[in-house]
Amino acid sequence: MTANRREMIGGAIAAAALAPAAASAVTTARQATGAGRALKVPAPARFTPDWESLTSGYSVPDWFRDAKFGMWAHWTAQCVPEEGDWYARNMYIPGTRAYKHHVKKYGHPADVGFMQIQNMWKADRWDPGRLLDLYKKAGAKYFMALANHHDNLDTYNSKYHAWNTTRVGPRRDIIAEWEKGARARGLRFAVSNHSAHAWHWNQPAYGYDPAGPRAGERYDAYKLTAAQGRGQWWEGLDPQQLYVGRHMPMPDGIRTEAEANAWHDATDGMWNEGVPAGNFAANWLLRVKDLAEKYRPDMVYFDNFDLPLEQYGLDFTSWFYNQSMKWNGGRLEAVVTSKVTPPQRRMGIVDDVERGGKNYIERFPWQTDTCIGGWHYDIDTYNNDGYKTPANVIHTLCDVVSKNGNLMLSVPMRGDGTIDDKEEKVVNGIAEWMGRYGEAIYGSRPWKLNGEGPTRPNSGNFSEGGPKSPYTARDVRYVTRNGNLHALVMGWPEDGIARMTLLGQDNPTMAGQIQRVMIQGDNTPLPFKRTAEALEVTLPQGARHEIGVPLVISGNGVTA
């Protein structure tokens, strides 16, 4: 889940296509009737696999719009080395951190390939119930489990792909255990599918060192066959099915990670715009249908630019919507997401922004996905205190929901199935704030403007900042709920007075009459005055919270 040039450019184009023309990214938003309030449309009796059917008949279900906050276990065998993202690919690229680590700890990739690491993934300390209890305490209303990554190992009892975790590594149906635990705790359940990338992503495993003592010697994927598995742990499995066959080799002469990533970007069009040869795409469709049929997720997340594999992605999405109505007595409860979704398709699926956001109120519900560290567990992040703070997460959530979005947050897991003590501290910090103030977030809808203040986050994929939050008490985000206006103050003012300039008496933004202001969860009215310049609310010191407080503002016309 690392940015490529196409996704970065596509995100900018999509944002520009729908963003308002005004200069302010915070205080200006689309003010047309219905902005941020996607209209419900009646679903057809049956969806057909084309964009016209999806965009004319789909409405995002209320459960997703109300949930606002989900948590994700982005967990694969790539967490075993604890060396960060894309280990399964980068370990075959000389000069990279992953390659150096692999040679030192496991051996040369000609001798020990990534399929061996997959079998080292034992999940021997994994307690899904404990983690789900922690995530529910943190305020998550839905939970997502990774069903497969680009390395092409299914984490469930896959009918159409023998390389899965019931036969390799943990020898457990990971998705089944996550699903059972999530449902038992009243959480909506989602799965993420990344395997459409596998047909190109594994190609470095067919390469070789361009220099050094083993120059020219092919890595494991090039030479392994099913017959060689006799008597091995992988007997009966074909490595070529895992690595998908050699069809897009890296050119000779690539020696560094930078050169490999340049090749990755230059060939990106071949990966996203065409359907791979052979039966890979057809098998992918069988696998993802099997996944949905077995576990009946409420949401399927695709880690793709638009829907994966052209018509195959459309075939799945229409089928999934039809199945959802079948499973739910005619109600369409399904969500499908993709990244950098073209604006004209955002009424047919949910647009997802990876590690970023939007600078306007999106008309159609959307989601941002991010992680408190890297996507795969990285010991360097732990040692260097590189995790996001609870304030960063909560402030991101406030900003996202003010723009009609949801936040999906991943917590990196170690190969054994645990999270570390620093991660647990972050999650508990999120839980403390959400336990007090989460009701200001859930079920909310955007106001006419999303917010005010000096901090204006970047927009588009991979645009988020560092682990610490840049927001202050001068930054406020607005949502509406139950006829009230919620002002999400993103910090604690030094003088104890929260000031909202958009709500000043002379500001035409809010012409209603303010009658009462409270802190979410406390019915005690707060002292306030509305001057020409701002609404000023005196906050009780006993409610002090460095992350900030949500104010509930009621009165005639405050949400108009």
Side-chain angles (χ1 to χ4, degrees):
M1 298 188 61
T2 299
N4 63 52
R5 187 176 295 115
R6 183 180 187 85
E7 289 169 329
M8 291 178 174
I9 295 173
I13 292 172
L18 284 184
S24 172
V26 177
T27 60
T28 307
R30 287 152 55 87
Q31 299 189 38
T33 301
R37 296 170 176 82
L39 301 177
K40 286 284 184 181
V41 296
R46 187 170 185 80
F47 285 91
T48 56
D50 53 78
W51 281 111
E52 181 179 1
S53 178
L54 299 185
T55 56
S56 63
Y58 180 71
S59 297
V60 177
D62 287 338
W63 76 259
F64 182 81
R65 300 201 69 199
D66 292 342
K68 302 304 179 188
F69 183 45
M71 296 193 75
W72 184 8
H74 188 283
W75 185 40
T76 78
Q78 293 178 87
C79 299
V80 171
E82 300 188 353
E83 290 291 306
D85 293 337
W86 282 27
Y87 187 93
R89 173 181 176 274
N90 290 342
M91 62 160 278
Y92 293 103
I93 302 175
T96 64
R97 172 189 172 192
Y99 175 90
K100 294 174 183 176
H101 174 85
H102 192 84
V103 170
K104 182 177 180 180
K105 184 170 182 178
Y106 303 111
H108 192 269
D111 305 323
V112 181
F114 188 72
M115 77 177 208
Q116 305 288 348
I117 304 297
Q118 288 179 329
N119 200 48
M120 294 177 194
W121 181 24
K122 300 304 182 185
D124 48 301
R125 296 176 62 199
W126 177 42
D127 183 349
R130 180 183 181 278
L131 291 174
L132 288 165
D133 285 340
L134 182 63
Y135 299 157
K136 183 174 181 178
K137 177 184 173 184
K141 296 296 185 182
Y142 58 114
F143 172 79
M144 186 160 77
L146 186 144
N148 43 48
H149 198 252
H150 312 341
D151 62 4
N152 210 29
L153 182 74
D154 288 347
T155 64
Y156 57 96
N157 186 18
S158 181
K159 182 178 180 181
Y160 298 102
H161 190 54
W163 287 91
N164 67 72
T165 55
T166 68
R167 298 184 63 173
V168 176
R171 302 316 199 265
R172 297 166 72 171
D173 187 331
I174 289 172
I175 293 297
E177 294 188 49
W178 280 130
E179 188 268 342
K180 181 180 178 180
R183 301 286 191 205
R185 289 159 178 80
L187 300 174
R188 292 281 184 161
F189 183 64
V191 292
S192 68
N193 183 292
H194 311 242
S195 60
H197 293 291
W199 79 276
H200 62 77
W201 198 79
N202 281 320
Q203 290 305 291
Y206 291 87
Y208 54 87
D209 291 1
R214 301 186 72 168
E217 183 177 351
R218 293 288 185 177
Y219 301 142
D220 68 316
Y222 187 87
K223 54 192 178 183
L224 289 177
T225 66
Q228 291 171 309
R230 294 191 184 95
Q232 304 292 325
W233 64 265
W234 47 281
E235 184 170 1
L237 298 173
D238 183 358
Q240 295 309 309
Q241 185 184 34
L242 175 70
Y243 290 118
V244 306
R246 178 179 168 85
H247 57 263
M248 192 191 296
M250 293 177 66
D252 293 342
I254 287 183
R255 297 169 182 261
T256 68
E257 184 172 13
E259 290 173 344
N261 286 332
W263 170 79
H264 173 282
D265 287 351
T267 58
D268 185 55
M270 287 189 280
W271 302 352
N272 287 322
E273 294 173 1
V275 177
N279 64 356
F280 177 89
N283 180 255
W284 173 89
L285 181 59
L286 290 173
R287 287 163 65 185
V288 71
K289 280 187 173 183
D290 180 44
L291 170 67
E293 191 70 62
K294 277 188 169 79
Y295 311 102
R296 298 192 177 185
D298 300 290
M299 182 173 85
V300 175
Y301 165 105
F302 286 125
D303 183 30
N304 294 85
F305 170 78
D306 212 340
L307 289 176
L309 301 177
E310 298 181 347
Q311 187 60 46
Y312 293 91
L314 283 168
D315 288 346
F316 171 78
T317 302
S318 59
W319 174 87
F320 184 49
Y321 288 172
N322 292 331
Q323 291 299 106
S324 176
M325 291 189 289
K326 176 183 175 181
W327 297 332
N328 294 286
R331 299 188 317 277
L332 180 52
E333 295 285 278
V335 173
V336 170
T337 78
S338 74
K339 298 188 295 186
V340 199
T341 309
Q344 70 272 20
R345 295 178 176 176
R346 293 179 189 170
M347 61 285 285
I349 59 176
V350 169
D351 185 37
D352 182 272
V353 179
E354 183 178 347
R355 287 193 178 275
K358 303 200 177 196
N359 59 9
Y360 58 94
I361 298 174
E362 170 69 77
R363 178 177 179 84
F364 297 98
W366 60 285
Q367 177 178 264
T368 184
D369 63 276
T370 191
C371 187
I372 67 169
W375 289 117
H376 291 100
Y377 192 84
D378 190 335
I379 193 63
D380 283 0
T381 305
Y382 176 84
N383 291 333
N384 297 323
D385 293 325
Y387 293 127
K388 286 183 171 67
T389 63
N392 182 301
V393 173
I394 296 299
H395 291 162
T396 299
L397 176 63
C398 291
D399 184 69
V400 167
V401 300
S402 76
K403 298 167 183 173
N404 204 30
N406 286 20
L407 172 63
M408 171 67 77
L409 180 72
S410 179
V411 179
M413 294 174 62
R414 291 179 286 211
D416 64 7
T418 62
I419 63 174
D420 66 46
D421 59 315
K422 293 180 181 178
E423 293 175 304
E424 190 145 347
K425 184 177 180 180
V426 172
V427 176
N428 280 321
I430 297 167
E432 191 275 329
W433 193 93
M434 291 295 286
R436 291 173 65 176
Y437 300 129
E439 290 304 313
I441 300 290
Y442 306 127
S444 63
R445 298 292 185 267
W447 190 42
K448 64 179 72 176
L449 300 180
N450 80 281
E452 62 175 289
T455 305
R456 300 175 180 177
N458 297 324
S459 65
N461 282 283
F462 311 103
S463 63
E464 67 180 14
K468 294 184 178 179
S469 176
Y471 293 98
T472 71
R474 294 171 59 196
D475 296 297
V476 182
R477 297 296 181 263
Y478 295 102
V479 294
T480 64
R481 184 174 183 270
N482 294 336
N484 297 320
L485 180 64
H486 291 190
L488 310 175
V489 182
M490 295 157 74
W492 189 268
E494 289 301 319
D495 60 1
I497 299 175
R499 293 176 176 83
M500 288 140 283
T501 61
L502 281 180
L503 308 185
Q505 193 72 52
D506 288 351
N507 193 314
T509 300
M510 207 280 284
Q513 296 299 312
I514 297 174
Q515 298 169 332
R516 184 182 177 99
V517 181
M518 302 175 295
I519 292 178
Q520 173 66 47
D522 186 342
N523 292 329
T524 305
L526 300 179
F528 72 89
K529 63 179 179 179
R530 194 180 187 193
T531 68
E533 291 77 25
L535 171 66
E536 299 183 355
V537 182
T538 301
L539 304 176
Q541 282 300 310
R544 185 181 182 95
H545 201 296
E546 295 306 312
I547 291 178
V549 293
L551 302 178
V552 181
I553 301 168
S554 58
N556 295 326
V558 297
T559 63

